Amino acid sequence: MTAKDLGESESESEGGIARVTFRVRCESLGYGESVFLYPDDESSRPIPLYTTATNHPWYEARSPIAISIPKGSKSVDSKPHAYTYRYGVFRAGGFYRWEDPSDGPSDADSNNNKGNSNSSSMNSVGSSNSNSSNNNNNHILPTRLLADGEEYTVNDVLGVTRGHPNIDHIRVPHSNQYEELTMLHSRSKLESFHRVKSGNSLANSSHNLMKKNSRGNLKQETKKKVGFAPEPPAYHGPDSHNSQNKKEPVLLNSTDGLIVASVFLPVHLHRSSEGEWSAEWNYEALLSMQTHLRVTRIGVVKWRGWHGNVGKDGSPEQGVPEEERYLVEKCLRAFHCVPVWVESVTLGEMYNGFCKGVLWPVLHNVTSVYSTRPDGGGGSKGPDDDSFLQSTSASGSAGDLNVSETLESVSSRFTEYSNDDQAMGTIHGDGGKEASLWAAYTAVNRRFAETVVQCFNEGDLVWIHGFHLLILPSFLTRRIPMAKVGLFLHTPFPSSEIFRTLWCREDILRGMLNADQVGFHLFEYARHFLTCSRRLLGLKYGMIPDESGGHNLAIETNGRHVAVTSIHAGIEPPILVQVLTHPSTLDRSASIRNQFEGKVIFCAIDRMESLKGIPLKMLGLERFLNRCPEWVGKLVLVQVGISAFERGDDYIRTKKEIHAIVASIN
């Protein structure tokens, strides 16, 4: 090609750039399907289109596409120039099929036949630019309908490719922002960006174009006005796309329903000698906060023997008697609380056996710290039997620990709950202890699902709290698929190397992913959850746009997106101030100050469990006093330990270890 020919081709191609936003109405898309726009250009990438609950069934590109407009209405081969494209349907993150006439409305065939005569010339136009063998499947946008520096919206219907294009001309000024143009979809990204940056302002529709003639000299020419075809009848309703750009915040009022599910209800029950039941809020629970929403709380009530430890040296009762359960329900009705009735033995196996014995250490990145016996024997006897006393006396004083027995206990417990390489039983693991614990866990979650379904009204939100109900979303999606389910974990989430030691790892992950949103305290826990979903289930995750113009972190599974958030939990200042200003609190704090007058006082309160870290706190204080002896006798630590009798041998062992460290420090 000579220099003269090159100059003429550059002169013909530098006509300008128009910004076009594509919208398509998709009535026939199935659940989990999405739509992409495919420009008829091998060097262009498909453009994803998105929708929202308010905009459905309209799918729209997030940003306008820069379409180059050549000089004149004809291209180099003396045929009218047009921008051709078509839509593709994706399913489960992969290409599924091209759009089909059956995707259009019922009257699409008559519209297509009516537009045959009007669009025959357009179809012949598209044949020069289309790589497809059948041009009837392509949408055609003649560039003669576009003007340089203007912004448009093209409204299509999936499956309807014939007839005049439905174009809306947006006659509003816009800023010259190069990053808003999707230059990635043009044939020559560098030339398109250079054309915009060289001085052709998109905001000024009456600017002059600087062009080169065949001799290479610059000449200035006023932009030629382009006429527009009459607007064809639109397929969409009376609401225009301008109203869809207005993002209004979603506010919940007192008429909106919220179902909060937690393993225990945040209430304290009292029973008088006459058999009358009363209740009061448990203000130490996180879920007892006051709110303006219509909240229904679902959970188990704590009453004597709820953990199943009944009989000798245990509770004389097995929870609320069945003949008095209706009285408890009547008492809790004023608190908008609905109890879930579960057999005490099943609840004890679920809570103490599976949740605290299996999930609790794993979620804290520990393979296992609990055993059924302090000596690692794994029997069912309690701490008061003869073998326990012999083991304690043989190990020395009350503060001494037998290291070999502790290591044997950890090894035994680890082998018991994480040997997933054994022969698979009828349910999980080897069909023994693991199957019994998992069966109790699923039974309690299924009982919660039945209660939630009974209390659910269409439009209510379901909010699940805690690791005790991780598979509850799976049961809810089968019973009430229209419900919006959220899941929040108040515990850490382990790395994939630790989490994969569970034999039921995939079931738990799939149960969590059946929720619409999964929340964690820290992003570190959310990152571990994303990694486990990718490595164990092969799922993909990334950022997806939301209705307000931002982006959310989500996991793609079964054609849907599960949002993953990191939300920090807060406190209730009014409740905290109320407790701090209570007379009993003031008297107790004054007593402590008088007892340790002149000293720096540290106060702490924790449960007597291994993972609560009380021994580590004591060891840290001991190391501080050894390194800074000048503080000896000048500070004191008041540690309050909450009894955890349901933890069994772990509570006994932790208490014994703490007493030994305290004796060593003092």
Side-chain angles (χ1 to χ4, degrees):
M1 180 181 293
T2 63
K4 179 179 180 180
D5 296 335
L6 181 60
E8 291 178 352
S9 62
E10 291 180 354
S11 172
E12 292 290 334
S13 61
E14 293 186 2
I17 294 179
R19 296 154 49 95
V20 180
T21 302
F22 288 90
R23 300 172 67 243
V24 59
R25 182 167 182 170
C26 307
E27 297 279 2
S28 60
L29 285 187
Y31 182 77
E33 293 182 345
S34 57
V35 62
F36 279 68
L37 184 145
Y38 279 80
D40 195 12
D41 188 350
E42 295 181 354
S43 62
S44 300
R45 288 188 267 179
I47 306 169
L49 278 70
Y50 304 94
T51 187
T52 61
T54 57
N55 296 345
H56 189 269
W58 285 96
Y59 288 71
E60 183 176 352
R62 287 298 180 184
S63 57
I65 300 175
I67 297 181
S68 60
I69 306 175
K71 179 183 177 182
S73 60
K74 293 185 178 181
S75 58
V76 181
D77 54 357
S78 300
K79 293 183 179 180
H81 188 276
Y83 182 81
T84 57
Y85 59 95
R86 57 178 173 172
Y87 295 101
V89 179
F90 274 54
R91 174 179 292 182
F95 179 81
Y96 178 58
R97 61 178 177 86
W98 294 110
E99 62 175 323
D100 189 80
S102 60
D103 295 325
S106 57
D107 57 345
D109 296 336
S110 61
N111 291 335
N112 287 342
N113 296 332
K114 182 179 179 180
N116 284 340
S117 59
N118 297 331
S119 60
S120 58
S121 60
M122 295 184 182
N123 291 335
S124 61
V125 169
S127 60
S128 60
N129 297 325
S130 176
N131 296 327
S132 175
S133 59
N134 188 3
N135 293 313
N136 293 333
N137 295 330
N138 289 348
H139 297 260
I140 301 175
L141 176 62
T143 56
R144 61 180 176 81
L145 304 180
L146 308 177
D148 180 25
E150 297 294 335
E151 188 170 346
Y152 306 89
T153 298
V154 175
N155 306 287
D156 293 324
V157 177
L158 193 68
V160 179
T161 58
R162 297 184 179 182
H164 292 286
N166 186 352
I167 304 176
D168 293 336
H169 185 194
I170 303 177
R171 302 180 183 274
V172 293
H174 50 271
S175 58
N176 186 15
Q177 297 179 355
Y178 308 125
E179 64 274 8
E180 294 182 357
L181 298 176
T182 52
M183 295 301 181
L184 298 176
H185 308 293
S186 61
R187 180 179 296 273
S188 178
K189 295 178 289 185
L190 183 59
E191 293 180 0
S192 300
F193 181 80
H194 176 71
R195 186 179 300 114
V196 176
K197 194 175 181 180
S198 61
N200 297 334
S201 174
L202 296 179
N204 185 7
S205 61
S206 61
H207 65 282
N208 295 330
L209 299 177
M210 303 300 297
K211 301 181 295 182
K212 290 184 178 182
N213 56 17
S214 58
R215 299 180 180 179
N217 299 327
L218 294 175
K219 80 173 182 178
Q220 188 172 3
E221 181 179 324
T222 305
K223 187 189 70 172
K224 184 178 180 181
K225 295 184 179 180
V226 180
F228 294 92
E231 183 178 359
Y235 291 105
H236 50 282
D239 55 331
S240 62
H241 64 280
N242 294 330
S243 61
Q244 298 175 359
N245 295 330
K246 299 178 181 179
K247 303 301 180 181
E248 299 181 358
V250 179
L251 301 178
L252 300 178
N253 52 40
S254 58
T255 61
D256 294 313
L258 176 63
I259 298 179
V260 179
S262 58
V263 63
F264 296 116
L265 288 175
V267 293
H268 290 301
L269 284 179
H270 305 280
R271 186 179 184 275
S272 63
S273 58
E274 292 80 10
E276 296 182 358
W277 292 85
S278 61
E280 61 180 359
W281 285 115
N282 178 16
Y283 288 105
E284 295 182 359
L286 178 66
L287 306 182
S288 62
M289 299 180 295
Q290 299 296 328
T291 178
H292 66 283
L293 301 177
R294 177 173 55 85
V295 179
T296 302
R297 293 176 171 87
I298 295 177
V300 178
V301 292
K302 280 189 176 182
W303 189 245
R304 302 164 187 170
W306 64 267
H307 43 68
N309 184 16
V310 297
K312 183 180 179 181
D313 299 329
S315 176
E317 302 181 21
Q318 296 184 3
V320 179
E322 294 186 9
E323 61 273 10
E324 299 186 14
R325 288 181 177 179
Y326 76 97
L327 297 176
V328 176
E329 295 177 356
K330 182 179 179 180
C331 172
L332 296 177
R333 198 169 299 153
F335 294 82
H336 299 284
C337 293
V338 179
V340 179
W341 302 114
V342 183
E343 292 76 8
S344 59
V345 177
T346 304
L347 184 62
E349 290 183 355
M350 173 264 192
Y351 185 81
N352 297 324
F354 188 81
C355 294
K356 286 294 186 178
V358 179
L359 284 183
W360 181 259
V362 170
L363 292 177
H364 288 78
N365 281 288
V366 178
T367 53
S368 181
V369 295
Y370 299 128
S371 64
T372 55
R373 294 271 308 278
D375 58 357
S380 59
K381 296 182 180 182
D384 296 333
D385 59 10
D386 297 338
S387 61
F388 175 76
L389 297 177
Q390 294 176 2
S391 173
T392 304
S393 60
S395 61
S397 62
D400 297 335
L401 290 176
N402 193 317
V403 178
S404 61
E405 293 178 354
T406 304
L407 294 178
E408 182 183 357
S409 171
V410 174
S411 175
S412 174
R413 194 69 169 187
F414 175 81
T415 304
E416 180 180 359
Y417 288 126
S418 61
N419 272 351
D420 56 346
D421 56 346
Q422 303 294 331
M424 298 296 292
T426 56
I427 302 179
H428 281 283
D430 58 357
K433 184 67 174 178
E434 296 88 347
S436 175
L437 297 178
W438 177 253
Y441 187 77
T442 55
V444 173
N445 278 259
R446 188 178 291 108
R447 189 67 59 85
F448 267 81
E450 296 174 357
T451 307
V452 171
V453 172
Q454 295 175 2
C455 302
F456 178 81
N457 295 315
E458 188 173 357
D460 290 352
L461 304 177
V462 181
W463 195 8
I464 304 173
H465 287 263
F467 66 100
H468 317 86
L469 306 172
L470 294 181
I471 61 176
L472 178 57
S474 295
F475 296 110
L476 294 180
T477 54
R478 297 183 179 95
R479 303 285 297 275
I480 45 177
M482 76 294 295
K484 296 295 182 181
V485 181
L487 174 65
F488 187 84
L489 260 69
H490 298 266
T491 58
F493 197 87
S495 62
S496 59
E497 291 79 6
I498 301 297
F499 188 78
R500 71 191 312 149
T501 60
L502 291 174
W503 71 89
C504 51
R505 51 190 176 268
E506 295 184 0
D507 296 321
I508 292 178
L509 283 180
R510 291 192 177 97
M512 299 175 65
L513 290 172
N514 277 321
D516 297 285
Q517 178 178 353
V518 182
F520 300 90
H521 277 300
L522 303 176
F523 178 73
E524 176 187 0
Y525 309 152
R527 180 170 55 86
H528 288 165
F529 177 69
L530 296 173
T531 305
C532 289
S533 301
R534 184 187 65 199
R535 294 182 177 179
L536 301 182
L537 300 181
L539 302 178
K540 298 180 181 179
Y541 61 86
M543 305 297 294
I544 62 173
D546 56 11
E547 296 182 1
S548 59
H551 290 77
N552 292 329
L553 184 61
I555 300 177
E556 185 178 2
T557 171
N558 295 329
R560 49 190 290 269
H561 293 98
V562 179
V564 180
T565 58
S566 55
I567 307 174
H568 308 290
I571 61 174
E572 280 289 300
I575 298 178
L576 188 61
V577 172
Q578 180 182 356
V579 174
L580 292 177
T581 57
H582 196 272
S584 61
T585 305
L586 297 177
D587 295 341
R588 182 56 178 165
S589 61
S591 174
I592 295 176
R593 289 190 179 94
N594 294 333
Q595 182 180 359
F596 304 104
E597 186 176 0
K599 297 182 179 180
V600 179
I601 303 175
F602 295 94
C603 295
I605 179 170
D606 300 280
R607 286 177 59 86
M608 301 287 284
E609 296 184 39
S610 300
L611 287 177
K612 292 301 181 180
I614 300 180
L616 297 178
K617 186 189 305 179
M618 300 294 181
L619 294 176
L621 178 61
E622 182 180 19
R623 177 172 295 184
F624 171 76
L625 295 177
N626 292 334
R627 293 184 176 182
C628 304
E630 65 274 10
W631 282 95
V632 175
K634 297 182 180 181
L635 61 84
V636 61
L637 171 63
V638 180
Q639 176 68 50
V640 179
I642 302 177
S643 300
F645 294 103
E646 69 275 6
R647 292 304 317 126
D649 61 303
D650 177 70
Y651 166 69
I652 300 296
R653 185 172 62 251
T654 304
K655 184 177 180 180
K656 181 173 61 174
E657 183 180 0
I658 292 175
H659 281 252
I661 299 176
V662 170
S664 175
I665 296 177
N666 293 333

